[in-house]
Amino acid sequence: MPRLRLAATLIIGIIVLFLILANASARLYTDWLWFYSLGYQQAFITIIFSDIGIRVVVGGAFFVLLLVNLLFTRKPFLSTIQKASVFREENVITLQESPWKQFITPGLLTAGYFILSLIIALLFSFSVAGDWVILQKFLHPTSFGTVDPVFGRDIGFYVFQLPFYVFIYKIASWAIFIIAFWVAVVYTLINATHGVQGGIFQSVTARYHLSFLAALFFALKAWGYQLDQYGLLFGHHGAVWGAGFTAVHANLLAYKVLTVVAVVCAIAILVNVFLRRFRLVVYSIGVLVVVSIVLGGIYPGLVQKLRVTPSEMVVEKPYLERNIQFTRRAYNLDKIEKQDFPASRVLSAGDIRANKDTIENIRLWDWEPLQQTYSQLQEMRLYYEFKDIDIDRYDVDGRYRQVMLATRELNQAKLPEQAKTWVNQRLKYTHGYGIAMSPVNEVSGEGLPAFFIKDIPPVTATNLVVKRPEIYYGEQTDQYVIVNARAQEFDYPKGDDNAYTTYQGESGVKFENFLRRLMFAFSLGDYKLLLSSDVDNNSRVLYYRNIHQRVPKIAPFLEYDDDPYIVLSEGRLYWLWDAYTTTDRYPYSEPYDRVNNYIRNSVKVVVDAYTGQVDFYVSDPADPLIGTFSKIFPGMFKPLEQMPSDLRRHLRYPVDLFKIQAGMYAVYHMEDPQVFYNKEDKWNLPTELYGSEERQMEPYYTIIKMAGEKKPEFVLILPFTPQNKKNMIAWMSARSDGENYGRLLSYSFPKQELVYGPMQLEARINQDTTISQQLSLWDQRGSRVIRGNLLVIPVKDALLYVEPLYLQAEQSKIPELRRVIVVHGDKVVMEPSLEKALERIFGGKVEVGTPAEPEVPGQEPSASRDISALARQANQLFDEAQAKLRAGDWAGYGETLNRLKQTLAELASKA
């Protein structure tokens, strides 16, 4: 029975090992096919060979070192066993022969050492998994063209070479420690077998062996101190990010002395091997410990307290200048253009009309309420979902318009339980369908968005046409699917029936033969691939479809923006995604996330939503990091000029990068060391009231006409407030159009004048009795009032403040835009539309191009509307009625039908 159990255990173990290896091999093979299908097979080879190569080299080197050290213990181990056996045979008390002699033979001991070294080396190799990037950057460095002021080295040394040296140092240190541990274990067993008391150092062989390892460790430690001195450039020392006075004059000296002492320790340990004066080793190590405590801790503390602190500003001035200079370079803050902005000027109705493009593109819809509205109006079926709302700009019928849009993705998790079959999830429900798009400022009579693109199939009344609406690759496409199967795919709902389609693309991997299907069954963990009669050799498998997984799998060395956005270009849908190069090794630069202290938006990624094709375009060729990655992966990164021109028109400055730069600029706009040290002019990012909560104001896109420009352009804006105050001190913008893409501007307000900040404006709105009474009245009637984002809109050389108000009934999930609050100068007004609000402030007729203003219940429609406007209004009212019906809002449904009836009657009278 014991033998049967052993045999069964062995067989099960072999089967489990086979399955693990088969799965790993299958995954490697299918990954190769995936990279090959996208044209990135060279990137796959580079990543795999680099990763496996570094693990083999590190694991192999460790295996040899550990085995050699264990073999040094082989002779004393065997000798000890023989001596122990003789001793026990001659002992009168113990007459039995030691079992060690029978079982431990020279060959068996060598085999044991070999197996132990192999296992430990294999485990040790896992510690360097993923560190191939460090090696490749070391092999392909790029100069920054700037040297640090302490050691005089190019910044490229710290970014590309120093991390590799630190990597080697850490690996070597751990290797010595682990080898010493196992050697000590063997010598402990030898002493235990021999009956030696007093520890392993009673053995001469053990003393020599471990002394050599200790000497090697301290020699390595000396190199470590040399590397540690470079780390002073990245730390925080007192008032300075980077090496300050204490770091340069005390810590740096400590590392130099510790380097010498560590070398002396290594020599003393080697000398002790021959002199056998253990005190020499103790004294040398003691000196290292004392020097480390005194020079590494006490002395720098005294210098900081006695020399720096009494006159910190004066002493640290040159180091603060370095800190300011290098941080500004690390975040491109040195390229921000500074201008003054009067802000106090009062606009006229003529100014509003002269800046019509700006006024027409003021965003009245916030993405959060709009996402709920889109979901109710345009999801159509339970399994469709709008994950996010994106903001972009398009030429719509010859006009430059800011729009909000979202993809209608298919979320298989929302399928009814009875529909979650393998065929449905893998072969039928394979893709989402189309987009919804609406202008940022147009509102229907029911307070709902007016759509440029809507419904399934996509319906549009503009020049924007969706020719390829299927979305096979997106942010919700988490599961693999099979296309070109014998059964057709579900395309979109069509009344009481469904429309079906067959995939026309060439993406994905064709099965071709049974062996490949078998490999995919292992890789995907789905045996049904082998059994399904609907799948044949011509079928294609689409996997890694979620762009959040797809793109980083190709380029895991980049960091990615939180918000990829969809673009409609020449009838097709594309995902645009900003990618960043970062490092934590830029000298004298303050980190933005407690780690990284340098960032560039060096890459724009384009993913075709239908084919899944991924393209990387270099948007900042001056960045040394992307230069290095281009050397590592030749051909992966294309010049931005090769991006299709229509897609280039939709590039936008990324919000994540802008927030990082704005956060750093709030401090590092102060270039004078004394002002910087005292934080006399520190700025804060403002807060606003959203809903009923105060929260940090987010950067926002808008279309404005910049000073000195003839055309409006798409920009990203964020105001600043002074530290501990609520008024506004400046605003910052990032340009996104054409040749001006990437230009950053900072507009400062006169410090002697009061410019209201966002929270001060919120307070003024709350103090307005008419507005506050109306808000309270709505709240009491069972509606929830949602205060939208407060937008600060620069118009000419003045500011206009706009805040939308949404109403959401308790029984409805559809927020409706019902009022617009506009503040300018000393006037605060609230009206049903932006146009009405501007007319109240500036007087006279102010046309802003809004075709349909929101009406309150009972308000009569304007008699001056023409036939096209009435037709559009009827269409919108029909959509709203259907949405209210789906939401179960019967009262709203009946009211909307009545309004539709009135509109149709008016339309009939004009026809």
Side-chain angles (χ1 to χ4, degrees):
M1 289 299 292
R3 290 187 176 181
L4 288 176
R5 290 178 181 174
L6 179 62
T9 303
L10 185 61
I11 292 172
I12 293 173
I14 292 173
I15 293 174
V16 171
L17 180 61
F18 170 78
L19 291 176
I20 292 174
L21 293 176
N23 181 265
S25 301
R27 187 174 294 275
L28 185 65
Y29 175 66
T30 55
D31 278 356
W32 158 256
L33 293 175
W34 183 81
F35 274 88
Y36 187 83
S37 71
L38 287 170
Y40 291 107
Q41 61 270 27
Q42 192 59 47
F44 177 82
I45 292 173
T46 300
I47 293 173
I48 291 298
F49 275 78
S50 298
D51 192 35
I52 294 177
I54 195 171
R55 291 169 65 176
V56 169
V57 170
V58 170
F62 182 83
F63 167 76
V64 171
L65 291 173
L66 179 57
L67 181 59
V68 168
N69 277 271
L70 290 177
L71 289 177
F72 273 118
T73 69
R74 181 175 177 272
K75 184 176 180 180
F77 202 126
L78 294 172
S79 175
T80 300
I81 292 175
Q82 294 294 330
K83 291 178 181 178
S85 299
V86 172
F87 175 78
R88 287 172 181 152
E89 289 172 357
E90 295 174 352
N91 195 306
V92 177
I93 299 174
T94 306
L95 300 178
Q96 293 182 353
E97 189 178 40
S98 171
W100 288 98
K101 185 175 181 180
Q102 298 178 11
F103 291 103
I104 300 182
T105 64
L108 185 61
L109 182 61
T110 302
Y113 281 168
F114 185 92
I115 294 173
L116 176 65
S117 300
L118 188 62
I119 294 173
I120 301 302
L122 181 63
L123 296 174
F124 190 76
S125 69
F126 287 120
S127 67
V128 299
D131 289 328
W132 62 269
V133 179
I134 297 175
L135 171 63
Q136 286 291 352
K137 288 198 294 186
F138 173 77
L139 296 175
H140 302 87
T142 302
S143 173
F144 273 70
T146 303
V147 298
D148 79 275
V150 178
F151 301 103
R153 289 183 175 271
D154 187 272
I155 293 175
F157 167 78
Y158 302 103
V159 175
F160 303 116
Q161 295 168 298
L162 181 60
F164 181 73
Y165 296 144
V166 173
F167 167 77
I168 295 296
Y169 167 72
K170 290 181 177 179
I171 289 296
S173 299
W174 274 106
I176 292 174
F177 177 80
I178 294 172
I179 290 171
F181 170 79
W182 284 106
V183 167
V185 168
V186 173
Y187 283 120
T188 301
L189 291 175
I190 292 174
N191 284 357
T193 304
H194 195 47
V196 175
Q197 303 294 324
I200 60 176
F201 286 102
Q202 296 300 315
S203 167
V204 175
T205 305
R207 187 163 62 243
Y208 283 5
H209 196 167
L210 292 174
S211 293
F212 174 78
L213 291 175
L216 190 62
F217 174 79
F218 281 106
L220 188 65
K221 188 67 178 174
W223 185 43
Y225 285 130
Q226 287 294 294
L227 297 177
D228 287 342
Q229 66 181 354
Y230 295 124
L232 296 173
L233 298 175
F234 318 117
H236 190 199
H237 305 92
V240 180
W241 279 97
F245 181 90
T246 301
V248 172
H249 294 87
N251 296 99
L252 193 57
L253 172 64
Y255 284 131
K256 294 183 182 300
V257 174
L258 286 170
T259 299
V260 175
V261 175
V263 172
V264 171
C265 283
I267 296 173
I269 291 172
L270 292 176
V271 170
N272 177 68
V273 171
F274 302 99
L275 299 181
R276 300 184 182 181
R277 294 179 180 177
F278 191 67
R279 290 183 179 180
L280 185 62
V281 177
V282 174
Y283 291 157
S284 59
I285 295 177
V287 170
L288 179 64
V289 173
V290 171
V291 170
S292 179
I293 294 173
V294 174
L295 289 183
I298 298 176
Y299 177 60
L302 291 174
V303 171
Q304 181 70 27
K305 185 175 182 179
L306 302 178
R307 177 70 179 87
V308 177
T309 302
S311 54
E312 189 173 36
M313 170 54 217
V314 176
V315 175
E316 297 283 24
K317 181 178 179 180
Y319 307 101
L320 287 170
E321 290 175 342
R322 297 174 183 176
N323 180 190
I324 296 170
Q325 178 187 13
F326 278 79
T327 299
R328 288 173 60 85
R329 287 179 183 171
Y331 298 99
N332 262 345
L333 306 183
D334 57 327
K335 296 182 179 179
I336 294 178
E337 304 170 32
K338 297 182 178 181
Q339 297 183 21
D340 292 328
F341 194 87
S344 59
R345 187 177 181 276
V346 177
L347 297 171
S348 65
D351 294 326
I352 297 298
R353 286 190 290 269
N355 290 272
K356 183 179 179 180
D357 291 315
T358 298
I359 303 302
E360 286 185 349
N361 286 286
I362 293 177
R363 177 168 59 82
L364 301 181
W365 285 103
D366 298 338
W367 73 268
E368 291 173 274
L370 187 63
Q371 185 176 21
Q372 297 180 55
T373 303
Y374 268 30
S375 297
Q376 294 299 318
L377 297 178
Q378 286 292 308
E379 283 186 352
M380 306 300 183
R381 292 291 187 272
L382 291 174
Y383 41 77
Y384 286 129
E385 183 175 1
F386 291 105
K387 183 179 183 296
D388 191 19
I389 301 291
D390 296 318
I391 301 177
D392 203 353
R393 71 286 197 197
Y394 289 80
D395 287 319
V396 182
D397 295 333
R399 296 169 61 195
Y400 194 49
R401 303 295 301 273
Q402 185 178 194
V403 303
M404 306 185 84
L405 68 162
T407 55
R408 189 182 291 105
E409 296 197 51
L410 192 148
N411 187 350
Q412 291 185 352
K414 290 189 174 183
L415 286 171
E417 288 301 320
Q418 65 272 19
K420 291 181 179 178
T421 64
W422 188 87
V423 171
N424 281 345
Q425 292 182 304
R426 297 291 176 258
L427 307 179
K428 291 287 186 184
Y429 293 92
T430 58
H431 58 275
Y433 202 89
I435 60 174
M437 179 190 291
S438 59
V440 296
N441 67 327
E442 291 191 14
V443 187
S444 72
E446 284 294 318
L448 301 177
F451 288 100
F452 282 162
I453 300 175
K454 62 178 181 177
D455 297 346
I456 300 177
V459 175
T460 177
T462 69
N463 62 311
L464 302 176
V465 179
V466 185
K467 299 177 183 177
R468 179 59 77 182
E470 300 90 346
I471 301 168
Y472 284 86
Y473 300 87
E475 296 185 88
Q476 297 282 80
T477 47
D478 297 323
Q479 305 297 326
Y480 82 89
V481 296
I482 299 169
V483 297
N484 300 138
R486 291 190 176 98
Q488 283 193 308
E489 308 163 49
F490 164 77
D491 199 20
Y492 59 87
K494 190 177 182 181
D496 295 331
D497 201 359
N498 292 327
Y500 294 89
T501 188
T502 299
Y503 186 66
Q504 302 298 317
E506 296 294 325
S507 66
V509 177
K510 186 182 290 187
F511 283 124
E512 289 189 353
N513 52 58
F514 178 79
L515 179 60
R516 186 174 283 189
R517 286 175 68 178
L518 180 63
M519 298 299 281
F520 273 106
F522 268 109
S523 175
L524 300 173
D526 193 346
Y527 69 90
K528 293 181 181 179
L529 281 173
L530 303 174
L531 305 177
S532 175
S533 59
D534 289 319
V535 179
D536 57 28
N537 291 341
N538 291 318
S539 300
R540 292 176 176 272
V541 56
L542 311 183
Y543 53 117
Y544 300 138
R545 296 193 303 137
N546 190 312
I547 62 173
H548 291 277
Q549 182 186 22
R550 189 176 188 83
V551 177
K553 189 168 184 66
I554 301 172
F557 44 85
L558 299 175
E559 294 190 17
Y560 296 90
D561 195 85
D562 287 338
D563 184 28
Y565 58 102
I566 197 72
V567 170
L568 172 62
S569 176
E570 298 180 350
R572 299 180 67 94
L573 298 176
Y574 298 89
W575 293 99
L576 262 63
W577 202 3
D578 291 285
Y580 306 105
T581 52
T582 62
T583 182
D584 60 350
R585 298 285 176 168
Y586 200 92
Y588 280 103
S589 176
E590 180 178 345
Y592 63 86
D593 60 355
R594 299 185 181 181
V595 179
N596 294 308
N597 59 7
Y598 170 95
I599 186 170
R600 290 290 186 274
N601 175 214
S602 297
V603 179
K604 302 288 186 179
V605 187
V606 178
V607 183
D608 191 310
Y610 186 77
T611 68
Q613 180 60 41
V614 181
D615 293 298
F616 298 87
Y617 297 94
V618 177
S619 55
D620 188 356
D623 173 37
L625 277 164
I626 198 60
T628 285
F629 290 133
S630 297
K631 296 175 188 176
I632 299 172
F633 301 98
M636 174 183 284
F637 299 99
K638 305 174 183 179
L640 191 62
E641 292 73 23
Q642 292 185 15
M643 180 185 290
S645 58
D646 190 59
L647 280 177
R648 282 208 308 272
R649 283 193 283 270
H650 292 279
L651 295 179
R652 65 184 197 186
Y653 201 86
V655 171
D656 285 0
L657 175 61
F658 188 72
K659 287 168 66 175
I660 291 170
Q661 291 176 312
M664 301 305 297
Y665 192 68
V667 177
Y668 285 91
H669 70 278
M670 298 178 286
E671 298 183 60
D672 182 271
Q674 183 168 349
V675 175
F676 179 86
Y677 174 78
N678 293 319
K679 300 295 185 287
E680 298 175 19
D681 193 26
K682 185 177 182 297
W683 298 345
N684 285 340
L685 301 183
T687 58
E688 64 172 341
L689 197 63
Y690 189 87
S692 58
E693 299 178 356
E694 182 178 350
R695 67 184 189 185
Q696 190 174 85
M697 195 173 190
E698 293 290 322
Y700 52 92
Y701 293 103
T702 189
I703 291 179
I704 62 174
K705 188 182 293 185
M706 304 292 288
E709 300 292 338
K710 296 181 180 179
K711 295 182 178 180
E713 55 186 289
F714 192 64
V715 299
L716 188 59
I717 287 179
L718 184 65
F720 292 103
T721 59
Q723 187 176 23
N724 300 324
K725 293 184 179 180
K726 297 297 184 180
N727 62 293
M728 199 154 56
I729 190 69
W731 62 281
M732 182 174 168
S733 68
R735 305 170 76 170
S736 296
D737 287 352
E739 296 180 355
N740 289 321
Y741 177 87
R743 288 181 60 186
L744 299 175
L745 296 95
S746 171
Y747 294 90
S748 298
F749 301 137
K751 294 185 178 180
Q752 68 276 11
E753 297 181 12
L754 173 64
V755 179
Y756 289 108
M759 283 307 296
Q760 290 177 324
L761 264 297
E762 300 284 12
R764 288 184 62 189
I765 293 171
N766 290 336
Q767 292 167 4
D768 186 282
T769 55
T770 303
I771 295 176
S772 61
Q773 289 175 3
Q774 183 64 67
L775 297 183
S776 299
L777 182 62
W778 277 326
D779 280 330
Q780 293 171 5
R781 289 184 175 180
S783 296
R784 176 184 170 220
V785 178
I786 303 173
R787 295 176 67 159
N789 294 131
L790 176 66
L791 303 183
V792 182
I793 306 296
V795 179
K796 203 172 180 180
D797 50 4
L799 296 177
L800 198 64
Y801 303 87
V802 178
E803 181 176 277
L805 290 180
Y806 311 93
L807 289 184
Q808 184 172 9
E810 291 181 353
Q811 72 275 17
S812 173
K813 297 181 180 179
I814 307 178
E816 299 173 355
L817 177 57
R818 284 302 185 179
R819 291 291 186 271
V820 178
I821 299 174
V822 177
V823 182
H824 179 66
D826 58 354
K827 296 180 180 179
V828 180
V829 302
M830 181 177 72
E831 290 293 330
S833 70
L834 176 62
E835 184 175 353
K836 291 289 186 182
L838 293 175
E839 288 176 0
R840 272 194 59 189
I841 289 180
F842 299 105
K845 185 68 175 176
V846 179
E847 296 182 359
V848 296
T850 305
E853 68 181 41
E855 303 170 11
V856 294
Q859 180 178 332
E860 291 297 325
S862 171
S864 63
R865 293 180 294 178
D866 58 18
I867 294 177
S868 61
L870 285 169
R872 184 164 53 244
Q873 180 73 0
N875 191 33
Q876 291 170 355
L877 287 171
F878 176 77
D879 291 338
E880 293 160 16
Q882 294 299 311
K884 290 182 182 294
L885 179 61
R886 287 194 294 270
D889 184 3
W890 298 103
Y893 176 67
E895 179 184 337
T896 306
L897 284 181
N898 289 332
R899 290 178 50 73
L900 176 60
K901 182 178 179 180
Q902 294 175 8
T903 304
L904 291 174
E906 185 176 357
L907 181 61
S909 67
K910 291 180 177 288

